[in-house]
């Protein structure tokens, strides 16, 4: 039977309502736009530390642009409970070592799953170091990310590190649409590819194919 991660999340939230102080949560964030709705939702119930740990981002200037956007959003966003920010180490070599041999695979496959685990492991390590009550990630808000796999990895790491993993599928209840709306409201920078060099190349290939298709259609119209 397929699990409903949104209902599971709601059950956890009901179980902690009214607790003082509110439980702590280490939230791994892939980018500010994806974190927007998640922070709006979860900061009502948790004291959150946002971790920006994304060694997959390419090129380096893109990484720094996303870091600054994340920090800026947290400073501007009015939350019920204070939100802290922690930047992880930018170690792209670790990402390339993790996905070695899988470079040719399309987006959404085993290469991405290895990347999920790399970043979630970083989150679990920080959560243990900071003695947090829970950890989770914003990644499930994306329609392009596999929420089932993310939660599977998160629960495995939960057992390994002894920190509760907050299962989620943040795209539910129009979460993704709300994140887009909040991003527009705050004038955020939104990237058009996941982040790694392979997703960037795939995006550029698709864009090139679309541009060529449009050019052919125009030529046929005027011929």
């Amino acid at each position: 039977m397929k699990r409903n991660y949104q209902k599971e999340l709601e059950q956890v939230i009901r179980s902690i309502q009214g607790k003082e102080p509110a439980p702590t949560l280490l939230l791994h964030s892939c980018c500010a736009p994806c974190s927007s709705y998640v922070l709006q939702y979860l900061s009502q119930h948790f004291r959150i530390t946002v971790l920006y740990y994304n060694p997959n981002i390419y090129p380096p200037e893109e990484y720094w642009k996303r870091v600054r956007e994340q920090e800026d959003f947290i400073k501007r966003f009015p939350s019920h409970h204070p939100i802290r920010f922690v930047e992880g180490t930018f170690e792209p070599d670790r990402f390339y070592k993790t996905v070695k041999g899988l470079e040719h695979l399309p987006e959404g496959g085993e290469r991405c799953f290895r990347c999920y685990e790399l970043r979630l492991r970083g989150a679990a390590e920080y959560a243990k170091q900071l003695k947090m009550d829970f950890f989770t990630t914003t990644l499930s808000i994306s329609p392009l990310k596999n929420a089932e796999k993310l939660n599977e990895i998160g629960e495995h790491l939960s057992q390994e590190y002894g920190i509760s993993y907050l299962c989620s599928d943040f795209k539910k209840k129009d979460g993704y649409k709300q994140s887009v709306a909040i991003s527009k409201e705050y004038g955020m920078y939104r990237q058009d590819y996941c982040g790694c060099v392979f997703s960037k190349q795939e995006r550029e290939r698709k864009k090139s194919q679309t541009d060529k298709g449009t050019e052919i259609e125009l030529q046929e119209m005027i011929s």
Side-chain angles (χ1 to χ4, degrees):
M1 183 176 178
K2 193 171 183 180
R3 292 169 62 180
N4 188 319
Y5 296 111
Q6 176 62 31
K7 285 189 176 180
E8 290 184 23
L9 174 58
E10 290 170 358
Q11 288 174 354
V12 173
I13 288 174
R14 282 195 294 270
S15 74
I16 65 171
Q17 280 183 336
K19 286 190 175 182
E20 290 294 341
T24 54
L25 169 68
L26 191 289
L27 175 66
H28 164 264
S29 176
C30 54
C31 64
C34 286
S35 76
S36 60
Y37 164 74
V38 179
L39 288 174
Q40 181 185 71
Y41 180 28
L42 295 183
S43 65
Q44 302 173 62
H45 312 289
F46 297 91
R47 290 176 290 151
I48 299 175
T49 295
V50 173
L51 169 67
Y52 189 87
Y53 175 64
N54 298 291
N56 58 309
I57 302 300
Y58 173 88
E61 51 266 31
E62 176 72 18
Y63 173 87
W64 297 114
K65 184 183 290 186
R66 296 191 193 194
V67 171
R68 288 192 294 270
E69 195 70 32
Q70 182 69 75
E71 287 185 289
D72 181 63
F73 175 66
I74 291 172
K75 289 175 183 176
R76 297 166 61 198
F77 181 69
S79 60
H80 182 72
H81 293 292
I83 300 172
R84 296 173 54 210
F85 175 75
V86 175
E87 184 190 343
T89 306
F90 182 43
E91 42 190 5
D93 288 346
R94 188 176 179 187
F95 166 70
Y96 291 119
K97 183 177 179 180
T98 298
V99 302
K100 187 175 177 59
L102 306 173
E103 297 89 345
H104 64 288
L105 295 180
E107 286 293 290
E110 182 61 29
R111 186 184 68 239
C112 292
F113 298 162
R114 297 271 186 93
C115 185
Y116 294 172
E117 182 170 0
L118 171 63
R119 292 188 277 176
L120 279 169
R121 183 173 293 279
E125 289 172 354
Y126 270 93
K128 189 174 183 67
Q129 178 184 331
L130 297 173
K131 299 181 180 179
M132 309 296 281
D133 297 313
F134 296 87
F135 76 102
T136 194
T137 178
T138 63
L139 285 166
S140 72
I141 199 168
S142 170
L144 302 177
K145 298 294 185 292
N146 187 320
E148 185 175 358
K149 193 67 179 179
L150 284 164
N151 288 302
E152 176 189 316
I153 293 168
E155 289 184 319
H156 171 76
L157 293 170
S158 172
Q159 294 178 358
E160 183 177 338
Y161 286 87
I163 307 286
S164 295
Y165 182 74
L166 197 65
C167 287
S168 69
D169 192 355
F170 291 120
K171 69 179 71 66
K172 299 296 185 181
K173 290 195 167 183
D174 287 333
Y176 177 71
K177 290 181 180 178
Q178 292 191 60
S179 74
V180 172
I182 296 170
S183 299
K184 289 181 179 178
E185 178 186 347
Y186 280 80
M188 283 190 216
Y189 161 68
R190 289 184 67 88
Q191 61 283 352
D192 64 356
Y193 65 103
C194 175
C196 73
V197 63
F198 311 112
S199 64
K200 183 175 174 63
Q201 290 170 346
E202 187 166 318
R203 167 63 180 161
E204 289 172 350
R205 280 196 299 270
K206 289 180 179 178
K207 187 175 184 302
S208 177
Q209 290 169 359
T210 300
D211 291 344
K212 286 179 181 177
T214 302
E215 184 179 345
I216 291 171
E217 287 178 6
L218 287 172
Q219 288 176 347
E220 289 176 345
M221 289 173 63
I222 63 177
S223 61

